[in-house]
Amino acid sequence: MNFATVNPTKKAYSLFAVCTILLIASCINGCGQKTPETTPPASAAVSYSAAAPVSPTDEDILTGTEAIENPDETPKEDEPMDNETTQNTINPETPDGAQTPFARHGALHVEGTALTDSHGDPIQLRGMSTHGIAWFPEYINPETFRYLRSGWNTNCIRLAMYTAENGGYCTDGSQEELKKLIQGGVEYATELGMYVIIDWHVLSDQNPLTYKEEAIRFFDEMSKQYADYDNVIYEICNEPNNAGTWESVCAYAGEVIPVIRANSKNAVILVGTPTWSQDIDQALAAPLDYDNIMYVLHFYAATHTDWLRERMRTCIESGLPVFVSEFGICDASGNGAVDLEQANAWKELIETYNVSYLCWNLANKNESSSILVPGCSKLSDWNEEDLSEQGRWIRDWFLGEKE
Protein backbone atom coordinates (compact mmCIF):
# COMPACT_ATOMS: atom_id res chain seq x y z
CA MET A 1 0.00 0.00 0.00
CA ASN A 2 1.22 3.56 -0.86
CA PHE A 3 0.54 5.52 2.36
CA ALA A 4 1.17 8.89 0.57
CA THR A 5 -2.12 8.62 -1.27
CA VAL A 6 -4.20 7.64 1.71
CA ASN A 7 -6.49 9.94 3.71
CA PRO A 8 -4.68 10.99 6.97
CA THR A 9 -7.40 9.47 9.13
CA LYS A 10 -7.26 6.19 7.23
CA LYS A 11 -3.44 6.36 7.26
CA ALA A 12 -3.33 6.63 11.05
CA TYR A 13 -5.83 3.83 11.39
CA SER A 14 -3.78 1.62 9.06
CA LEU A 15 -0.55 2.25 10.96
CA PHE A 16 -2.30 1.43 14.21
CA ALA A 17 -3.67 -1.80 12.75
CA VAL A 18 -0.27 -2.89 11.43
CA CYS A 19 1.43 -2.22 14.77
CA THR A 20 -1.30 -4.07 16.62
CA ILE A 21 -0.93 -7.12 14.38
CA LEU A 22 2.85 -7.15 14.81
CA LEU A 23 2.50 -6.89 18.60
CA ILE A 24 0.03 -9.77 18.75
CA ALA A 25 2.25 -11.94 16.54
CA SER A 26 5.23 -11.23 18.76
CA CYS A 27 3.31 -12.27 21.87
CA ILE A 28 2.09 -15.46 20.26
CA ASN A 29 5.59 -16.46 19.17
CA GLY A 30 7.10 -15.70 22.53
CA CYS A 31 4.41 -17.18 24.78
CA GLY A 32 3.80 -20.33 22.77
CA GLN A 33 7.38 -21.57 22.58
CA LYS A 34 8.09 -24.88 24.42
CA THR A 35 11.51 -26.22 25.28
CA PRO A 36 11.63 -29.93 24.43
CA GLU A 37 12.11 -32.22 27.43
CA THR A 38 14.61 -35.07 27.32
CA THR A 39 12.35 -37.14 29.59
CA PRO A 40 8.58 -36.72 29.91
CA PRO A 41 7.42 -35.59 33.35
CA ALA A 42 6.24 -38.36 35.64
CA SER A 43 2.80 -36.85 35.79
CA ALA A 44 2.44 -37.40 32.06
CA ALA A 45 3.75 -40.94 32.10
CA VAL A 46 0.63 -42.92 32.91
CA SER A 47 -3.07 -42.27 33.02
CA TYR A 48 -4.87 -44.82 35.16
CA SER A 49 -7.90 -45.22 37.35
CA ALA A 50 -7.81 -43.31 40.61
CA ALA A 51 -9.09 -46.42 42.35
CA ALA A 52 -6.56 -48.80 43.86
CA PRO A 53 -5.06 -51.10 41.19
CA VAL A 54 -6.50 -54.57 41.20
CA SER A 55 -4.67 -57.82 40.55
CA PRO A 56 -5.75 -61.11 38.94
CA THR A 57 -6.98 -62.38 42.29
CA ASP A 58 -9.25 -59.42 42.97
CA GLU A 59 -12.96 -59.41 42.22
CA ASP A 60 -12.90 -56.66 39.62
CA ILE A 61 -10.12 -56.69 37.04
CA LEU A 62 -8.97 -53.83 34.87
CA THR A 63 -9.29 -54.53 31.19
CA GLY A 64 -6.30 -52.60 29.96
CA THR A 65 -8.04 -49.24 29.68
CA GLU A 66 -5.24 -47.45 31.51
CA ALA A 67 -3.54 -45.34 28.84
CA ILE A 68 0.04 -44.17 28.69
CA GLU A 69 0.85 -41.01 26.83
CA ASN A 70 3.49 -41.12 24.15
CA PRO A 71 6.84 -39.73 25.32
CA ASP A 72 7.82 -36.38 23.85
CA GLU A 73 9.53 -37.43 20.65
CA THR A 74 10.87 -33.98 19.77
CA PRO A 75 14.67 -34.29 19.76
CA LYS A 76 16.98 -31.74 21.21
CA GLU A 77 18.93 -29.74 18.67
CA ASP A 78 22.03 -31.88 19.19
CA GLU A 79 20.19 -35.22 19.13
CA PRO A 80 20.24 -37.27 15.92
CA MET A 81 17.00 -38.30 14.28
CA ASP A 82 18.40 -41.63 13.07
CA ASN A 83 17.28 -44.50 15.33
CA GLU A 84 20.51 -46.38 14.72
CA THR A 85 22.61 -43.66 16.37
CA THR A 86 20.14 -42.60 19.05
CA GLN A 87 21.08 -45.61 21.20
CA ASN A 88 24.55 -44.26 21.93
CA THR A 89 23.61 -40.62 22.43
CA ILE A 90 20.52 -40.48 24.67
CA ASN A 91 21.49 -39.83 28.27
CA PRO A 92 25.01 -41.31 28.15
CA GLU A 93 25.57 -40.13 31.72
CA THR A 94 23.68 -40.23 34.99
CA PRO A 95 23.30 -37.01 37.03
CA ASP A 96 26.46 -37.77 39.02
CA GLY A 97 28.50 -37.98 35.81
CA ALA A 98 28.74 -41.76 35.62
CA GLN A 99 27.95 -43.53 32.36
CA THR A 100 24.60 -45.27 32.06
CA PRO A 101 24.57 -49.09 31.90
CA PHE A 102 23.96 -49.14 28.16
CA ALA A 103 26.65 -46.52 27.49
CA ARG A 104 29.13 -48.72 29.37
CA HIS A 105 28.16 -52.06 27.87
CA GLY A 106 26.30 -51.57 24.58
CA ALA A 107 24.67 -54.43 22.69
CA LEU A 108 24.64 -57.81 24.43
CA HIS A 109 25.17 -61.31 23.11
CA VAL A 110 25.55 -64.83 24.47
CA GLU A 111 28.95 -66.56 24.54
CA GLY A 112 28.85 -70.07 25.93
CA THR A 113 26.94 -69.79 29.19
CA ALA A 114 27.67 -66.07 29.66
CA LEU A 115 25.75 -62.97 28.77
CA THR A 116 28.44 -60.73 27.29
CA ASP A 117 28.65 -57.03 26.45
CA SER A 118 29.90 -55.28 23.33
CA HIS A 119 33.49 -55.37 24.65
CA GLY A 120 33.39 -59.14 25.10
CA ASP A 121 33.18 -58.91 28.88
CA PRO A 122 30.62 -60.85 30.95
CA ILE A 123 27.71 -58.75 32.24
CA GLN A 124 25.15 -59.49 34.93
CA LEU A 125 21.77 -57.81 34.46
CA ARG A 126 19.87 -57.07 37.67
CA GLY A 127 16.65 -55.28 38.39
CA MET A 128 12.94 -55.48 39.03
CA SER A 129 10.12 -57.14 37.16
CA THR A 130 6.85 -55.27 37.13
CA HIS A 131 3.71 -57.05 38.24
CA GLY A 132 1.07 -57.35 35.49
CA ILE A 133 1.20 -54.02 33.68
CA ALA A 134 -2.59 -53.97 33.21
CA TRP A 135 -3.09 -53.97 36.97
CA PHE A 136 -0.18 -51.83 38.14
CA PRO A 137 0.50 -49.42 35.26
CA GLU A 138 1.52 -46.54 37.52
CA TYR A 139 5.02 -47.98 37.99
CA ILE A 140 5.80 -47.62 34.29
CA ASN A 141 7.15 -44.09 34.41
CA PRO A 142 10.53 -42.37 34.14
CA GLU A 143 10.60 -41.35 37.80
CA THR A 144 10.40 -44.95 39.05
CA PHE A 145 12.85 -46.28 36.47
CA ARG A 146 15.34 -43.51 37.21
CA TYR A 147 15.19 -44.23 40.94
CA LEU A 148 15.68 -47.96 40.38
CA ARG A 149 18.73 -47.20 38.25
CA SER A 150 20.39 -44.44 40.26
CA GLY A 151 18.97 -45.09 43.74
CA TRP A 152 18.97 -48.90 43.75
CA ASN A 153 21.86 -49.60 41.35
CA THR A 154 19.86 -51.65 38.82
CA ASN A 155 20.50 -51.83 35.09
CA CYS A 156 17.42 -53.65 33.76
CA ILE A 157 13.62 -53.59 34.01
CA ARG A 158 11.22 -56.36 32.99
CA LEU A 159 7.78 -55.45 31.60
CA ALA A 160 5.40 -58.30 32.46
CA MET A 161 2.38 -58.45 30.16
CA TYR A 162 -0.02 -61.26 31.02
CA THR A 163 -1.43 -63.09 28.01
CA ALA A 164 -4.43 -64.75 29.64
CA GLU A 165 -6.10 -63.94 32.99
CA ASN A 166 -8.65 -61.14 33.25
CA GLY A 167 -7.26 -58.13 31.45
CA GLY A 168 -4.74 -60.27 29.55
CA TYR A 169 -3.51 -59.39 26.08
CA CYS A 170 -5.21 -62.40 24.50
CA THR A 171 -8.40 -62.37 26.57
CA ASP A 172 -10.34 -59.22 27.48
CA GLY A 173 -7.52 -56.69 27.81
CA SER A 174 -7.09 -53.75 25.46
CA GLN A 175 -4.24 -54.75 23.20
CA GLU A 176 -3.60 -51.19 22.09
CA GLU A 177 -3.40 -49.83 25.64
CA LEU A 178 -1.17 -52.70 26.75
CA LYS A 179 1.15 -52.03 23.82
CA LYS A 180 1.24 -48.35 24.77
CA LEU A 181 2.41 -49.34 28.24
CA ILE A 182 5.11 -51.57 26.75
CA GLN A 183 6.17 -48.81 24.37
CA GLY A 184 6.32 -46.26 27.15
CA GLY A 185 8.38 -48.61 29.31
CA VAL A 186 10.85 -49.27 26.49
CA GLU A 187 11.27 -45.56 25.78
CA TYR A 188 11.81 -44.63 29.43
CA ALA A 189 14.36 -47.41 29.92
CA THR A 190 16.14 -46.44 26.71
CA GLU A 191 16.42 -42.77 27.63
CA LEU A 192 17.83 -43.81 31.01
CA GLY A 193 20.38 -46.13 29.41
CA MET A 194 18.84 -49.28 30.93
CA TYR A 195 18.18 -52.70 29.43
CA VAL A 196 14.53 -53.72 29.14
CA ILE A 197 12.81 -57.10 28.80
CA ILE A 198 9.49 -57.41 26.94
CA ASP A 199 7.84 -60.35 28.69
CA TRP A 200 5.04 -62.38 27.05
CA HIS A 201 3.73 -63.58 30.40
CA VAL A 202 2.33 -67.07 29.79
CA LEU A 203 0.82 -68.43 33.03
CA SER A 204 -2.78 -69.65 33.27
CA ASP A 205 -2.78 -70.37 29.53
CA GLN A 206 -0.09 -73.00 30.36
CA ASN A 207 0.90 -73.93 26.81
CA PRO A 208 2.52 -71.16 24.76
CA LEU A 209 0.93 -72.66 21.64
CA THR A 210 -2.49 -71.59 22.96
CA TYR A 211 -1.99 -68.02 21.75
CA LYS A 212 0.78 -68.67 19.24
CA GLU A 213 -0.73 -66.57 16.45
CA GLU A 214 -1.20 -63.58 18.75
CA ALA A 215 2.40 -63.99 19.94
CA ILE A 216 3.71 -64.05 16.38
CA ARG A 217 1.88 -60.81 15.53
CA PHE A 218 2.97 -59.15 18.78
CA PHE A 219 6.66 -60.02 18.50
CA ASP A 220 6.69 -59.15 14.82
CA GLU A 221 5.39 -55.68 15.65
CA MET A 222 7.67 -55.17 18.65
CA SER A 223 10.83 -56.43 16.95
CA LYS A 224 10.17 -54.22 13.94
CA GLN A 225 9.60 -51.19 16.13
CA TYR A 226 12.73 -51.87 18.20
CA ALA A 227 14.98 -53.34 15.53
CA ASP A 228 17.58 -50.65 16.23
CA TYR A 229 17.24 -50.72 20.03
CA ASP A 230 20.17 -52.78 21.25
CA ASN A 231 18.94 -52.60 24.86
CA VAL A 232 15.72 -54.58 24.21
CA ILE A 233 15.49 -58.26 25.19
CA TYR A 234 12.54 -60.50 24.25
CA GLU A 235 11.11 -63.08 26.67
CA ILE A 236 8.80 -65.21 24.55
CA CYS A 237 7.07 -67.40 27.17
CA ASN A 238 7.22 -66.67 30.89
CA GLU A 239 6.22 -69.92 32.64
CA PRO A 240 4.99 -72.86 30.55
CA ASN A 241 3.28 -75.34 32.87
CA ASN A 242 1.18 -78.51 32.85
CA ALA A 243 0.30 -78.78 29.15
CA GLY A 244 3.28 -76.56 28.37
CA THR A 245 5.82 -79.32 27.72
CA TRP A 246 9.31 -78.80 26.32
CA GLU A 247 8.07 -80.21 23.02
CA SER A 248 5.35 -77.55 22.83
CA VAL A 249 7.83 -74.83 23.85
CA CYS A 250 10.18 -75.93 21.06
CA ALA A 251 7.34 -75.94 18.51
CA TYR A 252 6.28 -72.46 19.64
CA ALA A 253 9.83 -71.10 19.70
CA GLY A 254 10.41 -72.52 16.23
CA GLU A 255 7.78 -70.16 14.88
CA VAL A 256 8.23 -67.09 17.11
CA ILE A 257 12.03 -66.80 17.14
CA PRO A 258 12.36 -66.62 13.32
CA VAL A 259 9.84 -63.75 13.33
CA ILE A 260 11.98 -61.80 15.79
CA ARG A 261 15.18 -62.69 13.95
CA ALA A 262 13.76 -61.40 10.67
CA ASN A 263 13.62 -57.94 12.22
CA SER A 264 16.28 -58.00 14.93
CA LYS A 265 19.03 -60.43 13.98
CA ASN A 266 21.07 -60.26 17.16
CA ALA A 267 18.66 -59.49 20.00
CA VAL A 268 18.96 -61.69 23.07
CA ILE A 269 15.89 -63.94 23.42
CA LEU A 270 14.81 -65.61 26.67
CA VAL A 271 12.92 -68.91 26.48
CA GLY A 272 10.82 -70.20 29.37
CA THR A 273 11.01 -73.85 30.40
CA PRO A 274 8.35 -76.34 31.63
CA THR A 275 6.95 -76.54 35.17
CA TRP A 276 6.85 -72.79 35.70
CA SER A 277 10.37 -72.40 34.29
CA GLN A 278 12.05 -74.92 36.55
CA ASP A 279 12.83 -77.72 34.08
CA ILE A 280 15.93 -76.22 32.50
CA ASP A 281 17.40 -79.73 32.40
CA GLN A 282 15.00 -80.50 29.54
CA ALA A 283 16.46 -77.57 27.61
CA LEU A 284 19.94 -78.94 28.31
CA ALA A 285 18.92 -82.30 26.87
CA ALA A 286 17.39 -80.76 23.72
CA PRO A 287 18.51 -77.14 23.24
CA LEU A 288 17.17 -74.87 20.54
CA ASP A 289 19.32 -74.33 17.47
CA TYR A 290 19.57 -70.54 17.61
CA ASP A 291 22.25 -68.05 18.64
CA ASN A 292 21.82 -65.50 21.43
CA ILE A 293 19.31 -67.65 23.32
CA MET A 294 19.16 -68.03 27.10
CA TYR A 295 16.94 -70.41 29.06
CA VAL A 296 14.77 -69.15 31.89
CA LEU A 297 14.86 -70.41 35.47
CA HIS A 298 12.40 -69.09 38.08
CA PHE A 299 12.55 -69.78 41.79
CA TYR A 300 10.81 -68.82 45.02
CA ALA A 301 13.23 -69.40 47.85
CA ALA A 302 10.82 -70.80 50.45
CA THR A 303 9.64 -73.49 47.98
CA HIS A 304 12.58 -74.15 45.65
CA THR A 305 15.63 -75.18 47.61
CA ASP A 306 18.74 -77.33 47.18
CA TRP A 307 17.31 -79.56 44.48
CA LEU A 308 16.63 -76.69 42.06
CA ARG A 309 19.92 -74.98 42.89
CA GLU A 310 21.74 -78.21 42.07
CA ARG A 311 19.84 -78.42 38.77
CA MET A 312 20.89 -74.88 37.89
CA ARG A 313 24.51 -75.58 38.80
CA THR A 314 24.60 -78.78 36.75
CA CYS A 315 23.02 -77.14 33.70
CA ILE A 316 25.39 -74.18 33.71
CA GLU A 317 28.46 -76.37 34.17
CA SER A 318 27.19 -78.52 31.29
CA GLY A 319 27.07 -75.49 28.99
CA LEU A 320 23.50 -74.14 29.25
CA PRO A 321 23.11 -70.32 29.35
CA VAL A 322 20.65 -69.60 32.19
CA PHE A 323 18.80 -66.36 32.97
CA VAL A 324 16.71 -65.83 36.15
CA SER A 325 14.06 -63.46 34.81
CA GLU A 326 11.85 -63.83 37.91
CA PHE A 327 12.30 -64.86 41.53
CA GLY A 328 11.09 -64.15 45.04
CA ILE A 329 12.20 -65.05 48.54
CA CYS A 330 8.76 -66.21 49.76
CA ASP A 331 6.92 -69.34 48.60
CA ALA A 332 5.85 -70.13 45.06
CA SER A 333 2.41 -68.58 45.50
CA GLY A 334 4.08 -65.19 45.75
CA ASN A 335 2.94 -64.99 49.35
CA GLY A 336 3.71 -66.51 52.74
CA ALA A 337 6.74 -65.99 54.95
CA VAL A 338 10.10 -65.16 53.42
CA ASP A 339 12.97 -67.59 53.90
CA LEU A 340 16.16 -65.59 54.31
CA GLU A 341 18.39 -68.65 54.70
CA GLN A 342 17.27 -70.08 51.37
CA ALA A 343 17.30 -66.61 49.78
CA ASN A 344 20.93 -66.12 50.72
CA ALA A 345 21.83 -69.58 49.39
CA TRP A 346 20.31 -68.59 46.03
CA LYS A 347 22.14 -65.27 46.11
CA GLU A 348 25.47 -67.03 46.62
CA LEU A 349 24.84 -69.40 43.71
CA ILE A 350 23.75 -66.60 41.38
CA GLU A 351 26.86 -64.58 42.19
CA THR A 352 29.12 -67.62 41.77
CA TYR A 353 27.97 -68.08 38.17
CA ASN A 354 27.30 -64.40 37.39
CA VAL A 355 23.69 -65.16 36.43
CA SER A 356 21.39 -62.25 35.60
CA TYR A 357 18.40 -61.85 37.92
CA LEU A 358 15.12 -59.89 38.05
CA CYS A 359 13.09 -59.75 41.25
CA TRP A 360 9.29 -60.22 41.26
CA ASN A 361 7.57 -57.75 41.80
CA LEU A 362 7.43 -53.96 41.51
CA ALA A 363 4.05 -53.24 43.11
CA ASN A 364 2.28 -52.49 46.38
CA LYS A 365 0.05 -55.55 46.26
CA ASN A 366 -0.81 -57.17 49.58
CA GLU A 367 1.51 -60.14 49.16
CA SER A 368 5.01 -61.05 50.32
CA SER A 369 6.61 -60.83 46.89
CA SER A 370 5.70 -57.18 46.34
CA ILE A 371 8.56 -54.90 47.30
CA LEU A 372 6.24 -52.11 48.51
CA VAL A 373 3.81 -52.35 51.39
CA PRO A 374 0.07 -51.97 50.72
CA GLY A 375 -0.94 -48.35 50.91
CA CYS A 376 2.42 -47.01 49.72
CA SER A 377 1.55 -44.67 46.85
CA LYS A 378 5.07 -43.35 46.27
CA LEU A 379 6.64 -44.03 42.90
CA SER A 380 10.23 -43.50 44.05
CA ASP A 381 12.40 -42.40 47.00
CA TRP A 382 11.07 -45.22 49.16
CA ASN A 383 12.08 -45.27 52.82
CA GLU A 384 12.27 -48.25 55.18
CA GLU A 385 8.58 -48.02 56.09
CA ASP A 386 7.58 -48.15 52.42
CA LEU A 387 9.36 -51.44 51.77
CA SER A 388 8.31 -55.01 52.50
CA GLU A 389 10.79 -57.48 53.95
CA GLN A 390 11.59 -58.68 50.44
CA GLY A 391 11.87 -55.08 49.28
CA ARG A 392 14.51 -54.27 51.88
CA TRP A 393 16.41 -57.50 51.15
CA ILE A 394 16.56 -57.03 47.37
CA ARG A 395 17.43 -53.33 47.69
CA ASP A 396 20.43 -54.24 49.85
CA TRP A 397 21.53 -56.88 47.32
CA PHE A 398 21.34 -54.40 44.46
CA LEU A 399 23.25 -51.77 46.38
CA GLY A 400 25.96 -54.25 47.30
CA GLU A 401 26.69 -55.04 43.65
CA LYS A 402 29.65 -53.56 41.80
CA GLU A 403 29.46 -52.64 38.16
Side-chain angles (χ1 to χ4, degrees):
M1 176 184 293
N2 184 355
F3 283 104
T5 62
V6 178
N7 181 288
T9 302
K10 293 182 178 180
K11 178 178 178 181
Y13 177 79
S14 299
L15 285 171
F16 176 77
V18 170
C19 291
T20 300
I21 292 169
L22 291 173
L23 179 62
I24 292 171
S26 176
C27 290
I28 290 173
N29 289 336
C31 299
Q33 187 173 2
K34 179 178 181 295
T35 303
E37 297 176 21
T38 303
T39 304
S43 60
V46 182
S47 173
Y48 58 93
S49 171
V54 289
S55 69
T57 58
D58 292 315
E59 188 171 322
D60 297 316
I61 304 296
L62 299 180
T63 57
T65 56
E66 306 79 15
I68 183 165
E69 296 182 8
N70 289 328
D72 188 347
E73 297 176 353
T74 305
K76 294 188 294 186
E77 291 183 1
D78 59 347
E79 280 185 357
M81 291 294 289
D82 188 341
N83 283 338
E84 293 185 1
T85 57
T86 299
Q87 285 288 295
N88 295 318
T89 57
I90 290 181
N91 288 348
E93 294 185 350
T94 60
D96 61 2
Q99 285 187 311
T100 63
F102 181 81
R104 282 193 296 273
H105 298 288
L108 307 181
H109 60 283
V110 180
E111 289 187 12
T113 62
L115 185 62
T116 309
D117 70 9
S118 61
H119 311 295
D121 298 323
I123 180 175
Q124 183 184 52
L125 296 185
R126 59 184 179 273
M128 291 302 307
S129 173
T130 69
H131 204 299
I133 60 174
W135 309 307
F136 296 93
E138 64 268 37
Y139 297 103
I140 300 181
N141 72 83
E143 177 187 349
T144 299
F145 288 13
R146 184 181 294 106
Y147 185 67
L148 288 171
R149 182 199 68 182
S150 299
W152 277 28
N153 191 35
T154 70
N155 56 18
C156 186
I157 188 79
R158 179 185 188 234
L159 307 174
M161 186 184 73
Y162 280 76
T163 49
E165 288 77 31
N166 291 326
Y169 186 85
C170 302
T171 52
D172 57 354
S174 168
Q175 294 188 358
E176 290 306 310
E177 297 306 328
L178 288 168
K179 284 190 289 189
K180 286 181 182 179
L181 286 165
I182 292 288
Q183 291 159 351
V186 171
E187 294 302 328
Y188 301 143
T190 301
E191 291 208 359
L192 290 165
M194 299 175 72
Y195 296 90
V196 58
I197 299 171
I198 299 176
D199 166 34
W200 184 258
H201 205 80
V202 172
L203 188 60
S204 66
D205 34 344
Q206 301 183 5
N207 188 340
L209 289 171
T210 302
Y211 295 117
K212 180 193 70 176
E213 296 305 321
E214 290 88 343
I216 288 172
R217 289 192 293 269
F218 174 80
F219 282 111
D220 183 41
E221 181 178 348
M222 293 295 107
S223 58
K224 281 178 180 174
Q225 183 169 358
Y226 301 119
D228 298 319
Y229 284 56
D230 291 334
N231 62 322
V232 174
I233 296 169
Y234 301 97
E235 185 170 1
I236 62 172
C237 53
N238 164 60
E239 288 185 351
N241 60 88
N242 293 315
T245 64
W246 184 238
E247 289 74 19
S248 64
V249 171
C250 290
Y252 168 82
E255 295 195 54
V256 173
I257 291 175
V259 169
I260 297 174
R261 284 284 178 260
N263 302 316
S264 185
K265 294 182 179 179
N266 299 310
V268 173
I269 298 174
L270 308 180
V271 182
T273 54
T275 315
W276 296 274
S277 284
Q278 296 165 44
D279 292 346
I280 54 174
D281 53 325
Q282 295 185 28
L284 175 65
L288 296 167
D289 190 20
Y290 298 99
D291 293 330
N292 285 344
I293 299 295
M294 303 193 83
Y295 299 92
V296 169
L297 173 75
H298 290 175
F299 70 85
Y300 284 82
T303 300
H304 307 118
T305 58
D306 290 340
W307 61 272
L308 189 54
R309 284 194 293 272
E310 185 57 34
R311 180 179 293 173
M312 175 174 152
R313 181 183 291 107
T314 299
C315 286
I316 293 174
E317 291 186 352
S318 299
L320 191 74
V322 175
F323 194 111
V324 176
S325 64
E326 177 183 321
F327 78 94
I329 64 173
C330 56
D331 67 38
S333 71
N335 216 339
V338 304
D339 189 328
L340 294 179
E341 181 180 355
Q342 291 295 329
N344 288 325
W346 275 107
K347 176 182 175 183
E348 181 179 356
L349 182 65
I350 284 171
E351 294 296 357
T352 297
Y353 291 98
N354 202 43
V355 174
S356 296
Y357 61 98
L358 282 292
C359 180
W360 179 270
N361 64 73
L362 175 59
N364 62 355
K365 187 179 177 183
N366 187 20
E367 63 181 16
S368 305
S369 60
S370 288
I371 64 165
L372 301 175
V373 297
C376 175
S377 60
K378 293 161 64 174
L379 298 179
S380 65
D381 300 300
W382 304 302
N383 57 36
E384 294 295 307
E385 292 72 28
D386 299 323
L387 300 175
S388 67
E389 187 173 7
Q390 175 168 293
R392 293 189 294 272
W393 185 86
I394 191 61
R395 175 205 57 190
D396 291 346
W397 186 4
F398 291 148
L399 291 175
E401 292 281 22
K402 296 180 180 179
E403 187 55 47

